[in-house]
Structure formats: C-alpha cells, structure tokens
Amino acid sequence: MSTTGPVPDLAERATACADRLLESGEVLLASHIDADGLTSAAVASTALERAGFDFETVFKKQLDETEIATIAAHEYDTVLFTDFGSGQLDVIAAHERAGDFQPVIADHHQPADAETAFHLNPLLEGLDGASELSGAGAAYVLARALAERGDQSADNCDLAALAVVGAVGDMQAVGGELVGANRGIVEEGVEAGVLAEGTDLSLYGKQTRPLPKLFEYATEVQIPGVSGDEAGSVRFLEGLDVDLKEAGEWRTWVDLTDDERQTVASALVKHAVQRGVPAKKINTLVGTTYELVDEPRGTELRDASEFSTLLNATARYERADVGLGVCLGNRDGALDRAQTLLSNHRRNLSEGLEYVRREGVTHEDHLQWFDAGDAIRETIVGIVAGMALGTDGVSASKPIVALARKNDEETKVSARGTGTLVREGLDLSAVMGEASRSVGGDGGGHDIAAGATVPAGREQAFVDAADDIVADQTG
C-alpha cells in the first residue's frame, strides 16, 4: 500500500494527527450519530484499539457549546472528533486555548473561522467534503496513518468497507458512484478483499426485499404501473419468462442468476420506455454497487446502501450504541435491535411523507417549506423533506425547508436541494448558517443538505431570510 495513504492530498495532515494521538495514549472519541458518524466512530475506535489506546467513545446528535463543555468535563487531555468538529472549531479552539483538551479533528464539514494544529478535512486541501470524502473517509485516512506510524501489524485497509458505507450513507455517490478521494478508499477496500464494486440495478433493497416489493417501492425512478402499485408490480413480474418463486416464496434480487437478472432488468427498462419515463431517468436504473463481501448474502449488511440505512435508523432513534455494535461486528442482539428500529423508521417515514402530501408545502419565490410541528420527529424531518422533493405539489426546482418542533424553546430546521440546484449556485450550508444566525439560532452542513436550530416563534423570519439568501445564490 502507498505510504501516502489512500488520499495523498491529506497525507501530511493525517500523519500529523496520527503522531499527536500516538503521543497521548489516552483519547476521548466524540462522534456524530448518523450513518457517516457511526461508521466514522467504528473506523476510528477499531484503529485506536489496534494501536493499543485507552479510549472512551461518546456520541452527540449535534455539537454545540453545551455539548463541547460536556466533552471538556470528561477531562481527557486529547479529544478526537469524527464527522463533526470543523464547523464548531471556534468553540473548540477556545477550549484548546484554555488548556481543557487538545483537539484532533477528522471531519468533512465546512470549517468555522478558527485555527487548530491537528485538523484533517478535505476542504482544507481543495477537495469537496460533500461529494469526494465523508467523515468516515476522513477517519479512514487517519486510521491508515495510525497504522503506518504506530507499532502494529494491521494496515487497517479492511476498514475501507465501513468508510464506503459512511460515504454512501452521506449521499456521496454522484450518479450512483463514489468519486474523487473516495475512489482511493474503494480501491484499497477491493484490494484488501473486503469490498466488491459492480454494476447492477440501482434500486434499494436488492439484498432483502422480495421481488414484488423491490419494484413496488422503487421510488428512485417512478415507473408507472409498477412503482407504488403492488398488483402492477406482481403483474409485471408474472409476465416474464423467469421462475421468480421458490417453494411458493418470492425470491429476492440476489437469489437470481446473472441471466435472470439481465432478463428482469431488460424488461423493466422496456416497460419504462413504453410508459414514457424519460431516458435520463431510465439511465439511473443501473448504477455502481458496493458489496461488503465478508457479510452474509441476503442481509442489509451485504450492501453499502442498505447497511447505511440500517445505521441511520439506529441514529434517528438515539440508539447509537446499537449502530456502533453492528459496525464493530457485535451481532448478538445488536442486529435484531437495529432491524426493529429500521422497520419502525420506515413506517415513520411513510407516515411523514403522507403528512406532506396531505398538508402540502408553502411556496416562496425561491424555496418551499412546511412546518410539521409535532407531527414528524425532528430527527427524521430532513429525510422526509428529501423524499418529498419532486413529488406531487413539491417542486424539484426549488430547495425544500422542513421545520419540526425540537422543544418548547427551539425549532429544528432541515433543508434539502438537488445536484442541479447546487450546480446553479445553491449552498444550503451558507443558507442555513446565515438565516439561522440572523434570528438568533445556528446551523450549517453541506451545499446539498444542511440543518439549523432556531428559536421558537422566529420561524417565519427565518424562512424570509433563507428565501433572500437562496435568491442571491441562484439568481
């Protein structure tokens, strides 16, 4: 393996961070709780364990002044932040100056205007943190440097599989494929024998869903007569010259032979063309897939996309311990609990989407929004907003802003855009940050997806400010 690591542009920063950690021996690992944060923590904690560290892991739903103070109260001399920390660098740097702890940061979010010595972030080297490297990717680059600088036999390349799950979970697959710095990680995973990269149907659920459900729930591309139509999906499959049942039970996509998959995929494309689905949409039916080859076939853990969704479900219901357990291979009980959380999560998303369909969105000149109040959990309102983009009554040509009650004093805001809008100049990280601060809140994130917290009662003022900022960006 290369001594410059999987991402040569970050090698110098990774080495500096690894050396600083190795000097300390004792570390508090603090990580975010979404799929990218959980895989970041799993990659980092495995690397720390292999390097012989004493460490403790804590998860935070969001990192603010209060949470950073609780981290300082743990009284560790060194704190490793993964998948957050850059955006809160001003507060972290103040603790560093006060001598509370030495931060080491492996993140990919937009950095705040402050300096710290040990900061591994693709954005600092001109790489795109929204599409080229995730938090888990940054943690992996650090893990590889720790292996090279430390006294250990493992090179940590086996952790590339989890880094890919994190990147896919953070919506970094551009046109279905991981690009930029992520490529180096994929290549190391394939070479280490833990990852297989292939081309296949890009529908979600190929490992676990019975075939009719795979197509009925195929919302990535709306195919008339199949998507959202249980009877239509069964009719489509029964019209094919393929034996799609075994002992009376529907097979899954992974049960099919290559020839059978080819037959079904060709028929699906033909059906989509006949029903007038645009060619651009049809092309997205096939994409790059990433399989974790050490995981059992037919489980969520085999497919990077399904694995990341399983992890997100544990995070949304504040069971980061379950998600981390699954990542670390502790399957006794953790996997069952994660699967239960996932089925609850799917039901809540479905109900959330139904709420948006029923209540509709309010259209401003440059954005659209809805306020769910208590009707949708604040931890999933952003996912619902993303799913709603482009559905009936929700424009795909404007970003969507979703609000939900966090507590009596605060409202959670989540914003989602599209790749097209980002290419036109949209940067939701700036929109959320500036608009929230203008009403006494705070926020940030990525150009295509971001969030904020605003004081209760200031929602309309926030929306008005956000609308003006989007106008400036895309006008």
Side-chain angles (χ1 to χ4, degrees):
M1 295 293 169
S2 158
T3 52
T4 56
V7 186
D9 288 346
L10 295 176
E12 203 173 306
R13 289 180 180 276
T15 298
C17 290
D19 287 349
R20 180 63 189 80
L21 288 171
L22 288 162
E23 280 171 29
S24 62
E26 248 192 12
V27 177
L28 178 65
L29 169 60
S31 196
H32 195 211
I33 64 163
D34 62 0
D36 194 23
L38 288 164
T39 47
S40 298
V43 167
S45 62
T46 304
L48 291 171
E49 192 172 320
R50 287 174 180 174
F53 282 83
D54 286 325
F55 68 96
E56 183 184 345
T57 307
V58 294
F59 287 98
K60 303 291 181 186
K61 194 156 67 170
Q62 67 184 68
L63 201 58
D64 55 22
E65 286 188 43
T66 307
E67 294 294 4
I68 294 166
T70 66
I71 285 169
H74 280 265
E75 295 189 348
Y76 277 80
D77 290 339
T78 305
V79 179
L80 171 58
F81 294 90
T82 58
D83 195 37
F84 55 19
S86 295
Q88 302 77 20
L89 191 53
D90 47 352
V91 181
I92 290 169
H95 280 278
E96 182 182 0
R97 286 192 299 275
D100 294 341
F101 57 77
Q102 171 62 60
V104 177
I105 298 172
D107 191 9
H108 66 132
H109 295 93
Q110 194 66 45
D113 190 15
E115 293 293 324
T116 191
F118 306 106
H119 192 184
L120 176 60
N121 186 315
L123 290 158
L124 299 172
E125 298 296 338
L127 302 173
D128 187 346
S131 63
E132 289 191 76
L133 195 72
S134 69
Y140 175 75
V141 172
L142 176 59
R144 292 278 288 112
L146 270 173
E148 287 188 356
R149 307 295 288 184
D151 181 23
Q152 63 179 72
S153 55
D155 60 13
N156 288 339
C157 288
D158 59 320
L159 301 176
L162 283 172
V164 165
V165 172
V168 169
D170 222 45
M171 301 184 291
Q172 296 213 344
V174 179
E177 185 175 8
L178 293 173
V179 298
N182 281 319
R183 284 293 325 150
I185 298 174
V186 171
E187 285 160 13
E188 288 199 346
V190 171
E191 197 174 324
V194 293
L195 206 60
E197 184 179 24
T199 303
D200 202 348
L201 212 57
S202 58
L203 303 183
Y204 176 87
K206 294 190 296 292
Q207 294 289 333
T208 53
R209 284 181 173 164
L211 283 164
K213 293 297 177 194
L214 179 71
F215 295 112
E216 179 191 345
Y217 294 150
T219 52
E220 297 93 336
V221 179
Q222 289 285 339
I223 302 169
V226 175
S227 302
D229 183 341
E230 186 179 4
S233 178
V234 170
R235 254 195 324 274
F236 163 73
L237 289 164
E238 287 179 338
L240 305 178
D241 188 23
V242 178
D243 188 6
L244 299 177
K245 286 187 178 177
E246 203 165 286
E249 296 288 318
W250 285 100
R251 295 161 77 192
T252 63
W253 185 256
V254 293
D255 295 333
L256 305 183
T257 65
D258 287 347
D259 284 349
E260 287 171 333
R261 288 185 199 182
Q262 187 61 53
T263 301
V264 177
S266 299
L268 187 68
V269 168
K270 186 178 173 186
H271 178 90
V273 170
Q274 287 170 343
R275 291 302 188 98
V277 178
K280 196 165 74 172
K281 288 270 191 190
I282 290 172
N283 289 341
T284 66
L285 280 170
V286 174
T288 306
T289 57
Y290 302 97
E291 282 195 18
L292 284 72
V293 297
D294 291 338
E295 300 292 353
R297 276 183 177 276
T299 69
E300 290 92 346
L301 308 177
R302 180 83 179 192
D303 178 86
S305 174
E306 294 190 51
F307 197 150
S308 69
T309 301
L310 185 73
L311 293 180
N312 267 327
T314 69
R316 303 294 165 183
Y317 303 94
E318 292 167 49
R319 290 303 307 271
D321 57 320
V322 173
L324 182 63
V326 172
C327 288
L328 294 176
N330 308 340
R331 300 287 152 70
D332 291 342
L335 184 55
D336 287 343
R337 284 196 295 278
Q339 286 165 332
T340 301
L341 288 165
L342 177 58
S343 61
N344 292 342
H345 180 53
R346 287 206 176 113
R347 187 172 63 249
N348 289 340
L349 289 179
S350 173
E351 289 170 0
L353 201 52
E354 184 52 42
Y355 172 88
V356 177
R357 284 199 188 108
R358 190 174 65 246
E359 300 295 327
V361 297
T362 303
H363 287 268
E364 305 294 342
D365 291 339
H366 303 281
L367 60 77
Q368 56 203 325
W369 63 283
F370 65 91
D371 186 345
D374 285 318
I376 301 175
R377 288 175 74 108
E378 50 107 356
T379 54
I380 66 167
V381 73
I383 308 177
V384 172
M387 291 168 69
L389 264 179
T391 59
D392 284 350
V394 184
S395 170
S397 57
K398 287 196 282 197
I400 186 168
V401 173
L403 299 94
R405 181 180 178 277
K406 188 173 182 179
N407 51 46
D408 289 344
E409 289 80 41
E410 295 173 312
T411 295
K412 167 74 186 291
V413 187
S414 290
R416 297 290 184 269
T418 64
T420 303
L421 288 168
V422 169
R423 285 190 291 276
E424 289 169 0
L426 180 71
D427 179 0
L428 287 173
S429 177
V431 174
M432 290 289 100
E434 292 171 31
S436 62
R437 286 190 285 274
S438 76
V439 298
D442 201 9
H446 300 296
D447 49 12
I448 198 166
T453 303
V454 299
R458 301 304 309 279
E459 293 87 355
Q460 187 62 57
F462 166 83
V463 169
D464 293 343
D467 194 46
D468 288 343
I469 299 164
V470 175
D472 291 342
Q473 288 180 351
T474 58

